[in-house]
Amino acid sequence: KAGVTQTPRYLIKTRGQQVTLSCSPISGHRSVSWYQQTPGQGLQFLFEYFSETQRNKGNFPGRFSGRQFSNSRSEMNVSTLELGDSALYLCASSILPATLDYGYTFGSGTRLTVV
Amino acid sequence: SQQGEEDPQALSIQEGENATMNCSYKTSINNLQWYRQNSGRGLVHLILIRSNEREKHSGRLRVTLDTSKKSSSLLITASRAADTASYFCATDAPGAGSYQLTFGKGTKLSVIP
C-alpha cells in the first residue's frame, strides 16, 4: 500500500513569504502529526489532527498553523517566514487515535529553505 | 523540549559487530519507540515497547526498557553497512490529549564494510 506522501519534497522561499506543505496519510489512517527537524533543536512536535480536529499543538508561534480535511489529508502553513524556519518538515500518520500499540509511519519530508 | 537523550551521540563499528545505543527520558511514558533515519529522509519505525514490557525482539533488534531508571537500550546484532543511519528514541506520554512523540537527539551509527 502507498506510504505517507508529502509534497513538495524541496522548497525555497524568501523571508516574509508564506508556505503551504501537504501530507497525504496512509489510507485508513485518521491521525496525522507534523514535526519540524533542525540540526539545533532536533525533532519537535508541531501539531496533531484527528477527524479534522487539532488535538494537540506544540510550542510554536501562531505563524505555524495546520488543518485536516475530511479525507484525512493535512496541510500545514507557515506565514511570514523567518530564516530559522528552514528545516525538514515531517508528517506522520497513525492508524489509531493514539499510538498505544502501533508506531507512526512517516513521510520522506519537505525540505524548506528560507533565504 | 527534548525528553530523550541518546548515548552515544555517534558510534562507528565494523560490519558484523553489535551496536548498542542507549536512551534516557524524564517523565512517565505509555511506550517508547525507536526510529531510524537515513540521511535527511523520513523516519522509519523500528520497534515499540510498552511501559509494562521489559524486553522485545524484532529480527536483529533487541530493545530493553527499565522504567525505574527511565532508560532504554537498542541492540542491533550482526550489523550491516545498510544499518548506517541515525537512530532516535521517542516517548509517548500517558494521558488523554497527548498524541505526540517526544524525540531524543539521536545516535549516528556508522557501519564500516
Side-chain angles (χ1 to χ4, degrees):
Chain A
K1 58 182 177 183
V4 177
T5 303
Q6 290 189 248
T7 57
R9 286 295 315 279
Y10 301 93
L11 207 48
I12 300 175
K13 289 286 189 179
T14 305
R15 268 183 306 176
Q17 287 186 315
Q18 75 165 16
V19 67
T20 298
L21 311 181
S22 178
C23 172
S24 294
I26 290 175
S27 178
H29 285 199
R30 296 168 63 191
S31 170
V32 175
S33 306
W34 288 88
Y35 290 82
Q36 180 197 64
Q37 185 178 28
T38 60
Q41 298 299 314
L43 283 151
Q44 293 191 293
F45 171 77
L46 280 158
F47 21 66
E48 191 265 356
Y49 289 89
F50 179 78
S51 291
E52 302 178 65
T53 300
Q54 185 184 90
R55 299 192 297 181
N56 200 8
K57 189 178 195 298
N59 189 25
F60 279 83
R63 300 184 298 106
F64 290 81
S65 63
R67 59 177 175 170
Q68 186 181 34
F69 301 95
S70 58
N71 62 358
S72 294
R73 191 177 71 85
S74 177
E75 289 182 347
M76 67 163 281
N77 184 275
V78 187
S79 62
T80 319
L81 284 165
E82 301 177 359
L83 295 178
D85 297 332
S86 295
L88 179 66
Y89 289 88
L90 293 163
C91 167
S93 74
S94 173
I95 196 168
L96 292 174
T99 59
L100 288 177
D101 294 301
Y102 299 92
Y104 289 88
T105 303
F106 281 80
S108 295
T110 293
R111 172 76 63 186
L112 171 65
T113 303
V114 182
V115 297
Chain B
S1 63
Q2 298 291 327
Q3 154 134 274
E5 292 283 339
E6 281 93 341
D7 165 46
Q9 290 187 348
L11 180 61
S12 184
I13 59 173
Q14 296 288 327
E15 202 166 30
E17 294 181 337
N18 295 342
T20 299
M21 288 159 268
N22 302 297
C23 166
S24 61
Y25 57 92
K26 297 174 184 174
T27 65
S28 59
I29 60 173
N30 268 333
N31 61 61
L32 186 143
Q33 304 172 38
W34 285 90
Y35 288 84
R36 183 187 74 223
Q37 184 178 40
N38 291 90
S39 182
R41 302 294 296 247
L43 298 164
V44 175
H45 179 254
L46 296 175
I47 195 165
L48 179 152
I49 186 166
R50 294 196 209 180
S51 59
N52 62 353
E53 297 175 311
R54 292 296 166 258
E55 188 171 312
K56 203 162 183 179
H57 296 255
S58 176
R60 294 184 296 114
L61 305 179
R62 172 179 170 255
V63 170
T64 61
L65 179 64
D66 187 335
T67 52
S68 66
K69 295 181 180 178
K70 291 187 169 61
S71 67
S72 173
S73 68
L74 170 68
L75 168 67
I76 304 174
T77 60
S79 63
R80 305 166 183 168
D83 295 328
T84 295
S86 291
Y87 292 80
F88 296 89
C89 68
T91 53
D92 189 354
S98 178
Y99 311 118
Q100 71 179 76
L101 292 178
T102 303
F103 286 88
K105 290 192 179 292
T107 292
K108 192 168 185 177
L109 173 66
S110 298
V111 181
I112 303 164

